[in-house]
Amino acid sequence: MQKRTWNTDTVNKVSDMVVVKGWVHARRDMGKIIFIDLRDKTGLLQVVFAPKEVGGAYEFAKTLRAEYVVEIKGTVQKRTEKTINPKLETGTVEVLATDLKILNESKTPPFELDKDTRAVNEEVRLKYRYLDLRSERMHNNLALRDKVISFFRNYMHEHGFIEIETPILIKGTPEGAREFIVPSRLHGGKFYVLPQSPQQFKQLCMVAGFERYFQIARCFRDEDQRGDRQPEFTQLDFEMSFVEREDILKYTEEMFIEMVATVAPEKKLSHTPFPRLTYVEAMEKYGTDKPDLRKNKNDPNELAFCWVLDFPMFEKLEDGTIQAMHHPFCDVHPADLEKLDSDPMSVRANAYDLVLNGYELSSGSIRIHKRELQNKIFHLLGLADDEIEKKFGHMLEAFEYGAPPHGGFAPGIDRIVMLLAGEPNIREVMAYPKTGDARDPMMGAPSGLPPKALKEAHVKVVE
Ligand code: ASP
């Protein structure tokens, strides 16, 4: 069998006989000839069926409908000057078909795939996500996401990091959100939870001496779906040993500048180096800890990064209890150590955020690496000794075996790609996102389970 040619490679094969495969994007009958736009993963290609060609392909082509899957044999020919289509990568050529094979038929899709599908009802788009993803915009978004992720992976490797996978079934790690729980079949009445982030494991990788860890990490948070949240999302999670805040800011800033120049060279950065604001300055000047510092908010190519530093260590909830503003593993700002006992609410954490165009891209901090201080923070957060031991005994113990000073960061991949792609929400840059209320209309998740499965998991559903 003749080797298949990608659509975009036909431009280099004028006069050759080729076999192309893909989907019928559109069919146009022009009296004596039929045109189809054939779509494959590389793009569109015009194929011509003319009655004088041998093999009967012309008659057969009359039965083609949108989204049929076909294999076509034919000759690549140069288009005449007048018929060149500058909008297509293959616009200088077309294939004159001699053979047509229909590999599969297609029902009429529930919405048009050659238009911007953002106008289509989202429930329908998500139910037929595999069709929605056929559209050019969604293909481009996922290709951009792939570029961003592979840029980060390469950059991390070039800078001495190794990627380490951490478990998905874990014991809870408190980061302010509710956790998804997974009943254990083998240990009746016990539960795993899904990680809100690899926070504790990455810190333990530092205790383990890896010094530079990263992971393209899936994170899970069972939150009420407000705004543009998803129950699962992806972070570029990383951690470094023997560093101070400045090292992490510098590393991250250089990485982001290079990332933009590499994957989105049409974008321009409003300010380099990235401006730095303290939390107090940001709140006083902009009334938010994620200020939008763009000079022209209508310019789709402007990217305004900034740092927000020195977040408060603690915040008071409405019920008067104290909670860690970021998470309880953040180190105390060196200048505020003295005030931990006398005035804890005024203590700053050695924590920092990276903000882009008014979105929080990432939070991070230098971490506590000594048992005594970590224990003290847990106490200030109102935890009793036995609770601390039960929840965090392993961290405290690890800190007693030569834990190095360390710190890290975790930029959100979905938001980065959303902003680079100019999309209004992160669902547009995720292959299979959930609806606003955390459902998957395609698979039908979440769903009930048969009584046997529930019984094995020791789960009883109460109304
Ligand atoms: N684990 C943190 C988060 O998910 C990030 C970090 O402190 O590195 O926000």
Side-chain angles (χ1 to χ4, degrees):
M1 214 187 65
Q2 194 179 344
K3 208 172 136 237
R4 178 228 185 146
T5 300
W6 297 114
N7 281 352
T8 47
D9 289 341
T10 53
V11 289
N12 307 315
K13 300 204 165 187
V14 174
S15 305
D16 287 1
M17 180 69 93
V18 295
V19 172
V20 287
K21 301 186 191 193
W23 289 260
V24 176
H25 191 65
R27 188 187 98 190
R28 292 180 296 279
D29 290 9
M30 311 293 270
K32 291 239 166 53
I33 38 181
I34 297 171
F35 291 102
I36 68 161
D37 291 331
L38 180 75
R39 189 183 71 240
D40 73 6
K41 76 171 195 115
T42 66
L44 296 178
L45 169 71
Q46 177 160 288
V47 179
V48 190
F49 295 90
K52 63 178 183 343
E53 291 311 311
V54 286
Y58 170 78
E59 285 304 319
F60 199 23
K62 287 182 178 166
T63 66
L64 291 177
R65 301 275 175 273
E67 301 308 312
Y68 274 30
V69 187
V70 293
E71 176 180 324
I72 292 161
K73 197 171 181 182
T75 314
V76 182
Q77 57 187 24
K78 262 211 163 93
R79 295 205 206 183
T80 59
E81 203 64 47
K82 265 196 0 229
T83 58
I84 285 178
N85 180 353
K87 287 198 212 117
L88 281 192
E89 204 182 322
T90 59
T92 55
V93 296
E94 61 192 7
V95 164
L96 183 60
T98 47
D99 291 290
L100 165 66
K101 214 188 270 172
I102 296 180
L103 302 178
N104 207 352
E105 299 182 350
S106 171
K107 297 210 287 190
T108 304
F111 47 88
E112 289 173 298
L113 309 182
D114 56 351
K115 307 241 157 63
D116 186 338
T117 60
R118 271 180 304 200
V120 177
N121 174 295
E122 200 173 27
E123 185 86 15
V124 179
R125 284 179 65 198
L126 291 177
K127 176 155 195 281
Y128 296 96
R129 190 59 157 184
Y130 47 89
L131 295 180
D132 188 29
L133 290 176
R134 279 189 194 166
S135 64
E136 189 185 7
R137 184 177 55 87
M138 293 305 285
H139 256 252
N140 290 345
N141 285 353
L142 290 184
L144 177 66
R145 185 184 179 105
D146 172 60
K147 268 195 192 150
V148 169
I149 289 178
S150 43
F151 173 87
F152 284 138
R153 271 215 166 91
N154 289 338
Y155 195 91
M156 287 282 162
H157 285 139
E158 279 161 17
H159 289 79
F161 287 75
I162 71 164
E163 183 162 18
I164 299 176
E165 290 164 280
T166 54
I168 296 294
L169 296 176
I170 66 164
K171 196 172 94 170
T173 174
E175 294 192 42
R178 191 180 289 124
E179 288 157 333
F180 282 100
I181 59 178
V182 181
S184 161
R185 179 182 61 82
L186 292 178
H187 304 278
K190 300 227 164 93
F191 299 85
Y192 303 97
V193 307
L194 305 184
Q196 297 188 42
S197 88
Q199 185 63 36
Q200 293 187 49
F201 288 102
K202 70 171 169 175
Q203 290 192 238
L204 293 170
C205 282
M206 296 303 102
V207 182
F210 287 103
E211 297 198 31
R212 289 187 167 204
Y213 141 98
F214 86 99
Q215 180 178 195
I216 305 295
R218 197 63 69 82
C219 303
F220 304 86
R221 299 186 188 176
D222 188 6
E223 293 177 301
D224 293 332
Q225 298 297 301
R226 56 195 158 86
D228 188 21
R229 299 260 177 120
Q230 281 284 309
E232 48 182 306
F233 57 93
T234 307
Q235 290 180 338
L236 167 65
D237 191 47
F238 66 93
E239 197 76 8
M240 305 159 94
S241 290
F242 304 106
V243 287
E244 292 175 4
R245 179 180 86 181
E246 197 51 41
D247 301 303
I248 294 182
L249 301 196
K250 183 167 176 285
Y251 177 77
T252 307
E253 187 161 325
E254 286 171 2
M255 173 170 68
F256 269 87
I257 290 173
E258 202 173 312
M259 186 274 289
V260 172
T262 308
V263 310
E266 72 284 4
K267 306 274 173 196
K268 37 185 197 304
L269 304 179
S270 335
H271 321 269
T272 49
F274 301 167
R276 295 179 178 198
L277 298 156
T278 64
Y279 173 81
V280 171
E281 280 166 357
M283 293 308 281
E284 275 172 3
K285 214 164 153 193
Y286 302 100
T288 169
D289 56 3
K290 0 181 208 296
D292 186 348
L293 300 188
R294 277 177 295 176
K295 292 172 186 153
N296 173 5
K297 297 205 170 85
N298 296 319
D299 179 353
N301 282 331
E302 184 176 352
L303 296 177
F305 286 94
C306 72
W307 292 104
V308 180
L309 311 173
D310 300 345
F311 277 78
M313 189 83 184
F314 305 109
E315 61 188 348
K316 245 201 190 104
L317 300 182
E318 271 165 24
D319 63 5
T321 53
I322 293 179
Q323 139 181 316
M325 187 143 178
H326 185 26
H327 55 59
F329 308 109
C330 297
D331 200 3
V332 177
H333 193 292
D336 292 356
L337 258 179
E338 311 282 270
K339 295 194 288 182
L340 255 189
D341 291 312
S342 55
D343 186 11
M345 290 314 290
S346 75
V347 168
R348 292 165 297 169
N350 201 350
Y352 35 80
D353 272 10
L354 182 62
V355 174
L356 173 56
N357 293 6
Y359 288 89
E360 179 198 317
L361 270 198
S362 181
S363 289
S365 60
I366 297 299
R367 325 295 183 188
I368 298 168
H369 64 285
K370 295 206 170 152
R371 178 176 181 123
E372 203 191 343
L373 180 57
Q374 186 68 74
N375 204 34
K376 184 170 198 152
I377 298 299
F378 287 141
H379 276 144
L380 285 166
L381 290 168
L383 293 174
D385 281 330
D386 55 338
E387 225 176 331
I388 296 174
E389 190 47 45
K390 219 163 95 195
K391 285 189 176 153
F392 304 110
H394 57 283
M395 291 297 280
L396 295 176
E397 195 170 22
F399 288 169
E400 290 180 307
Y401 287 97
H406 61 283
F409 213 37
I413 298 282
D414 311 284
R415 279 207 184 141
I416 294 166
V417 181
M418 172 190 95
L419 290 166
L420 292 180
E423 289 288 2
N425 65 64
I426 58 175
R427 300 185 298 284
E428 301 296 331
V429 299
M430 297 174 126
Y432 301 104
K434 308 273 187 295
T435 55
D437 60 350
R439 286 174 301 109
D440 171 357
M442 181 177 65
M443 304 278 275
S447 64
L449 284 174
K452 182 167 176 280
L454 290 177
K455 195 163 172 232
E456 277 176 357
H458 316 278
V459 170
K460 211 179 245 153
V461 178
V462 287
E463 290 304 318

